[in-house]
Amino acid sequence: MTKTPIEYAEWTTLKTHAQDMKKHTLAGHFANNPARQEELTKTVDMLRFDYSKNHITSETLALFKTYSEAVGLNDLRGKLLGGEVVNQSENRPALHTALRARDPIVSSGGEPVAERVRSERAKLFDVAGKLRAGEIVAADGAPFKHIIFLGIGGSSLGPALLMKALGYSNTSAFDVHIVSNIDGHALMPVLDACEAARTLLIVASKTFTTTETLTNADTVRRWMKDAGVSDLNAHLMGVTAAPEKAKEYGVPADNVLPFAEWVGGRYSLWSAISAPVVFAYGAQVFEEFLAGADAVDQHFAKAPFEDNIPILSACLDVWYTNFWDAQTRGLFVYDDRLGLLPDYLQQLETESNGKDRTQDGQDVTWQTSPILWGGVGTDCQHSVFQLMHQGTHLVPVEFIGTKNADHTESLHHRKLLANMFAQSAALMRGRSVEEATEKLIAKGVNSDTLDHLAASKSFRGDRPSTTILLERLTPRALGNLIAFYEHKTFVAGMLVGINPYDQMGVELGKELATELEGVIAGDTALPEGYDASTKALIDYLQS
Ligand code: F6P
């Protein structure tokens, strides 16, 4: 059995250090070290990270460095990037970095990697070029206008994020609709908005077995048939790691855009899963996105611990969740175009690290992934920020914004960033009861209400945050950002001793849903083992 995190003396040292750190304030750390901001600000390619408003000192980082050495982080990183098996339960490597490397590793476990990546990308770009040039056409010989892209989880969150993030600065060659949910309320409005004869259907599923995606695909195909499309398969493309299944479904071989098994679903936006982005905005945009990720891969592989942003951010997560009792992390984007980033990262981080067993099956008695939540600033300031400032939970926050906007209304951008900076400053600074009292007296508040009002208007402060600024929201910067979070997630997984690359926790619910569908339809009886609550819910549906 491998040693678990809590069995390391270095873990215990971190715990003791946290007790000591709780006696200090963020403001105190700044006062004690005039160079703090500079020391804790790191830049990589188009990203700037300011970690200085966190409850850490150089000692904290030194202790984490010692702990990471004890768990063998450098070797584990080497295994990941070298294409060794890091996903033990599924016995495969996690080679998403090969999809964006200028020089991908040649092979892994005897399988070609570089050659495969190049040929799959060449096919993606070739199909994109032909579609955009109107050389791949609909059954009636006219070009496609609409794209309905069906996929869920890792097979949709990435393209949806990219379409929105890059849509402001790039003109789309197609009217793209991404549908993930099996809820007909999601699909029907899309069908209403598209003309079947002009619609290309892309079915994206790594396994090509996912019920939501295939049910939606069947419905779209029926809609096309009902509308008189003569050759349904001419309107169909598949993106998958199971090409044979896609072909069985009817996707013509030329229309299958494959990717490898060793690309995890939530790491697949570097592959043909991003087909709608390439079709809509062109290959060059996608290449810049890949190059941005490659730049961060190089950084992750080579930068020393003290400067390595994925490693530092992972340490912060482990620090707060395990030693400061934080159960969640808030992530607020101050760029509307990044509105889907919190959703995207929720899958990346929580499906990767939300686990209660170690790699070798031991029970976890420490914390693994924090619950990631968040939204868009400034909107969230008028909803959940009350809890962030005065609530009873410690919520370490990440603020993400862009230095340069792509619109010309500088007033808006100035106000947006002023708000972002103000929030992190306010979370840290707080306001004492005395300060609140003074303000109230200045406003002429009378003594009857002064005390309780001053208490309500005070803020304990000392709440940690990290500020991440993109120089500009370009495809490259977005590649930087997502690759950063991928590596951060990997490192956090290694520090807490779990396998970030499987997701067995989603299976039980899927199995039961399949059983219950038959029961709800009245085709089968409710199997043994169900509870009275579930039975009553089904009875109610059938009544
Ligand atoms: O439900 C979890 C999951 O397996 C994700 O990991 C994955 O991204 C998603 O379902 C979709 O799977 P597929 O691409 O095979 O349809």
Side-chain angles (χ1 to χ4, degrees):
M1 287 283 179
T2 354
K3 208 164 158 180
T4 64
I6 56 172
E7 289 170 319
Y8 284 92
E10 292 82 356
W11 180 273
T12 313
T13 310
L14 277 164
K15 200 171 178 178
T16 311
H17 174 61
Q19 294 317 314
D20 184 41
M21 287 290 286
K22 285 173 192 168
K23 296 177 195 142
H24 301 273
T25 61
L26 292 171
H29 292 314
F30 275 95
N32 289 341
N33 177 9
R36 178 179 176 83
Q37 177 279 321
E38 218 175 303
E39 283 172 12
L40 290 174
T41 297
K42 314 282 172 189
T43 305
V44 55
D45 208 42
M46 296 182 74
L47 309 181
R48 181 188 192 273
F49 288 74
D50 181 348
Y51 293 108
S52 61
K53 295 193 189 85
N54 281 291
H55 290 281
I56 52 170
T57 59
S58 51
E59 188 187 352
T60 319
L61 297 182
L63 293 177
F64 263 108
K65 185 176 181 188
T66 315
Y67 173 65
S68 74
E69 284 163 1
V71 301
L73 181 63
N74 284 349
D75 283 354
L76 294 163
R77 174 179 54 186
K79 281 187 180 161
L80 172 78
L81 301 177
E84 288 183 42
V85 170
V86 286
N87 177 356
Q88 279 89 351
S89 61
E90 295 173 316
N91 193 31
R92 56 182 184 228
L95 264 172
H96 40 281
T97 49
L99 295 172
R100 62 237 188 173
R102 196 173 309 156
D103 242 336
I105 61 166
V106 177
S107 64
S108 161
E111 299 287 323
V113 172
E115 191 190 303
R116 179 166 186 177
V117 168
R118 288 203 182 101
S119 73
E120 288 175 353
R121 196 182 312 150
K123 181 167 185 188
L124 171 67
F125 287 0
D126 180 54
V127 170
K130 288 180 175 149
L131 264 176
R132 288 165 65 85
E135 290 165 23
I136 294 179
V137 289
D140 61 5
F144 289 110
K145 178 176 171 204
H146 314 281
I147 291 178
I148 299 182
F149 179 87
L150 304 176
I152 197 163
S155 295
S156 79
L157 287 162
L161 166 72
L162 297 188
M163 287 303 296
K164 183 172 163 78
L166 303 175
Y168 190 90
S169 305
N170 293 283
T171 308
S172 177
F174 299 96
D175 167 38
V176 177
H177 300 266
I178 297 180
V179 181
S180 52
N181 201 341
I182 201 165
D183 186 348
H185 297 109
L187 182 62
M188 295 312 138
V190 169
L191 298 186
D192 287 344
C194 297
E195 187 193 345
R198 301 269 66 75
T199 301
L200 172 67
L201 168 63
I202 306 178
V203 183
S205 173
K206 180 176 174 184
T207 55
F208 229 84
T209 58
T210 302
T211 312
E212 288 92 331
T213 304
L214 294 180
T215 305
N216 279 334
D218 290 346
T219 304
V220 175
R221 279 161 70 78
R222 198 183 65 229
W223 166 77
M224 284 183 177
K225 190 166 178 234
D226 293 349
V229 172
S230 57
D231 178 3
L232 290 187
N233 291 353
H235 286 235
L236 180 63
M237 284 194 186
V239 183
T240 186
E244 291 314 316
K245 288 211 175 77
K247 285 181 216 156
E248 273 163 36
Y249 186 77
V251 184
D254 284 351
N255 290 4
V256 176
L257 298 170
F259 62 96
E261 256 313 306
W262 38 252
V263 179
R266 55 192 170 275
Y267 300 85
S268 63
L269 83 173
W270 317 102
S271 74
I273 283 291
S274 285
V277 182
V278 186
F279 296 173
Y281 303 143
Q284 198 191 330
V285 165
F286 192 60
E287 282 189 301
E288 285 169 27
F289 174 64
L290 298 180
D294 186 37
V296 167
D297 294 346
Q298 302 301 326
H299 164 86
F300 175 55
K302 295 175 196 151
F305 181 96
E306 296 72 19
D307 295 324
N308 200 306
I309 54 163
I311 296 182
L312 294 178
S313 290
C315 290
L316 276 177
D317 251 17
V318 175
W319 178 235
Y320 288 123
T321 46
N322 280 285
F323 305 113
W324 289 71
D325 296 329
Q327 293 183 322
T328 78
R329 192 173 96 247
L331 185 126
F332 298 95
V333 290
Y334 279 70
D335 186 319
D336 213 75
R337 298 168 294 176
L338 291 176
L340 296 176
L341 188 68
D343 285 357
Y344 179 81
L345 294 179
Q346 252 174 8
Q347 189 208 18
L348 175 64
E349 295 196 18
T350 60
E351 200 174 72
S352 295
N353 289 346
K355 314 233 160 109
D356 63 2
R357 299 281 198 284
T358 63
Q359 295 258 21
D360 53 5
Q362 300 179 65
D363 285 351
V364 165
T365 56
W366 52 98
Q367 298 300 326
T368 55
S369 175
I371 300 160
L372 185 64
W373 63 288
V376 178
T378 60
D379 294 28
C380 284
Q381 292 174 202
H382 301 272
S383 54
V384 295
F385 271 47
Q386 164 63 38
L387 176 145
M388 312 263 293
H389 287 284
Q390 289 187 318
T392 52
H393 295 92
L394 173 69
V395 184
V397 182
E398 265 158 23
F399 291 101
I400 304 180
T402 44
K403 182 181 177 197
N404 298 294
D406 287 306
H407 58 71
T408 49
E409 296 295 331
S410 58
L411 171 71
H412 285 258
H413 199 55
R414 196 161 67 232
K415 284 184 187 256
L416 178 70
L417 291 190
N419 271 279
M420 174 173 143
F421 297 169
Q423 291 301 324
S424 69
L427 283 167
M428 180 173 100
R429 185 196 294 183
R431 176 178 284 155
S432 67
V433 177
E434 292 72 27
E435 285 171 299
T437 307
E438 264 174 44
K439 274 192 162 266
L440 288 167
I441 291 172
K443 277 190 179 166
V445 173
N446 69 40
S447 53
D448 294 351
T449 50
L450 192 59
D451 284 355
H452 90 257
L453 256 187
S456 304
K457 283 179 174 284
S458 69
F459 298 74
R460 292 179 210 278
D462 209 29
R463 297 180 181 221
S465 67
T466 301
T467 300
I468 304 174
L469 277 174
L470 280 63
E471 197 180 308
R472 182 179 287 281
L473 180 47
T474 60
R476 182 178 182 94
L478 198 54
N480 287 165
L481 190 66
I482 298 172
F484 151 70
Y485 275 110
E486 287 181 349
H487 294 314
K488 186 218 127 178
T489 303
F490 164 74
V491 175
M494 296 303 101
L495 296 181
V496 298
I498 51 103
N499 172 8
Y501 295 116
D502 64 8
Q503 60 285 322
M504 310 290 182
V506 302
E507 285 172 11
L508 178 60
K510 285 186 190 175
E511 283 164 29
L512 300 197
T514 307
E515 270 180 10
L516 291 186
E517 191 193 329
V519 179
I520 291 171
D523 296 340
T524 48
L526 188 67
E528 288 293 308
Y530 280 92
D531 55 274
S533 160
T534 307
K535 182 175 182 325
L537 288 166
I538 294 170
D539 289 347
Y540 176 69
L541 271 193
Q542 291 171 333
S543 65

